Amino acid sequence: MMTSFFDQFASPSFLGIPLIAVAIALPWIMFPTPPSRWLNNRLITLQTWFINRFTNQLLLPLNTGGHKWALLFASLMVFLITINMLGLLPYTFTPTTQLSLNMGFAVPLWLATVIIGMPKQPTVALGHLLPEGTPVPLIPVLIIIETISLFIRPLALGVRLSANLTAGHLLIQLIATAVFVLLPMMPTVAILTAAVLFLLTLLEVAVAMIQAYVFVLLLSLYLQENV
């Protein structure tokens, strides 16, 4: 029984072909394309307002050089939110529960922020490895620790997103299984458990949006250190 709980995280396949590509491409198909008219419908207006507000808030602490990343950050944010939200629907697959996919986003983007900062301001980029006022005997140790923490950043990005979504999906499935088991024996307890399940689902909707925002926000903070 316990092994079946993790079957939802296995990549589905049809005729031996993994369907994760379809799950990744689906969010881009669902979003409407803004028309050339002056007046848009409510959905496109709301979509444009959300992207503009998010971009302004995210790029506020960055200088002009970091504003070139606006399109990339906004696209990544919308992509992650849509995938996370679609994964909460029944009989769906959440690609962001796969650590390989999250690391595929985290490592190249983190590496790009580091590569951008090294040629432009190498002193500032390398200065993060050694805090000011460090005693001389601790300099080698702190350089090693800061270097390790620097390379752990993309791993932390990917693991954070995968772990939060995986834990939420497992908890929802456990409580839903408890509701079906308790319903014939103790209907009152089953109804109370179903209410808890509803509240947990609302919490997971918030977690799906917050984790996508945190992922992009941390990337913008890494960029802020290097531009």
Side-chain angles (χ1 to χ4, degrees), residues 150-204:
L150 177 65
F151 284 98
I152 283 179
R153 284 180 173 182
L155 180 62
L157 278 176
V159 171
R160 181 186 294 107
L161 183 58
S162 296
N164 281 281
L165 295 179
T166 302
H169 284 61
L170 282 176
L171 195 55
I172 287 178
Q173 186 170 2
L174 284 171
I175 296 180
T177 304
V179 171
F180 282 104
V181 171
L182 292 174
L183 191 59
M185 300 180 294
M186 294 178 287
T188 305
V189 178
I191 292 174
L192 294 176
T193 309
V196 174
L197 178 61
F198 175 74
L199 296 177
L200 179 62
T201 304
L202 295 181
L203 177 63
E204 284 304 310

Side-chain angles (χ1 to χ4, degrees), residues 14-218:
F14 180 71
L15 298 178
I17 302 174
L19 299 182
I20 187 172
V22 179
I24 293 176
L26 188 59
W28 303 119
I29 301 174
M30 295 181 60
F31 278 93
T33 303
S36 58
R37 301 191 303 268
W38 281 99
L39 295 177
N40 297 324
N41 56 37
R42 292 183 178 88
L43 179 59
I44 295 180
T45 303
L46 181 62
Q47 173 183 323
T48 306
W49 174 85
F50 168 75
I51 293 176
N52 288 337
R53 292 295 299 171
F54 164 74
T55 306
N56 292 334
Q57 182 69 26
L58 192 66
L59 301 181
L60 190 61
L62 297 177
N63 56 21
T64 308
H67 293 178
K68 300 175 183 178
W69 291 61
L71 180 60
L72 177 62
F73 283 157
S75 302
L76 182 61
M77 174 72 174
V78 173
F79 176 75
L80 291 178
I81 284 183
T82 309
I83 281 188
N84 294 347
M85 298 288 288
L86 290 176
L88 293 174
L89 297 175
Y91 302 104
T92 55
F93 170 67
T94 312
T96 44
T97 57
Q98 306 294 313
L99 184 59
S100 57
L101 177 67
N102 297 335
M103 294 300 294
F105 283 124
V107 173
L109 293 175
W110 165 81
L111 190 59
T113 61
V114 174
I115 293 176
I116 285 176
M118 284 295 182
K120 291 185 177 180
Q121 41 185 6
T123 304
V124 177
L126 295 176
H128 294 299
L129 302 179
L130 184 63
E132 187 178 356
T134 304
V136 176
L138 296 179
I139 288 179
V141 178
L142 281 180
I143 290 179
I144 294 175
I145 293 175
E146 292 296 330
T147 304
I148 293 175
S149 66
L150 177 65
F151 284 98
I152 283 179
R153 284 180 173 182
L155 180 62
L157 278 176
V159 171
R160 181 186 294 107
L161 183 58
S162 296
N164 281 281
L165 295 179
T166 302
H169 284 61
L170 282 176
L171 195 55
I172 287 178
Q173 186 170 2
L174 284 171
I175 296 180
T177 304
V179 171
F180 282 104
V181 171
L182 292 174
L183 191 59
M185 300 180 294
M186 294 178 287
T188 305
V189 178
I191 292 174
L192 294 176
T193 309
V196 174
L197 178 61
F198 175 74
L199 296 177
L200 179 62
T201 304
L202 295 181
L203 177 63
E204 284 304 310
V205 171
V207 168
M209 294 186 290
I210 291 172
Q211 288 303 317
Y213 176 73
V214 168
F215 189 92
V216 181
L217 178 64
L218 289 176

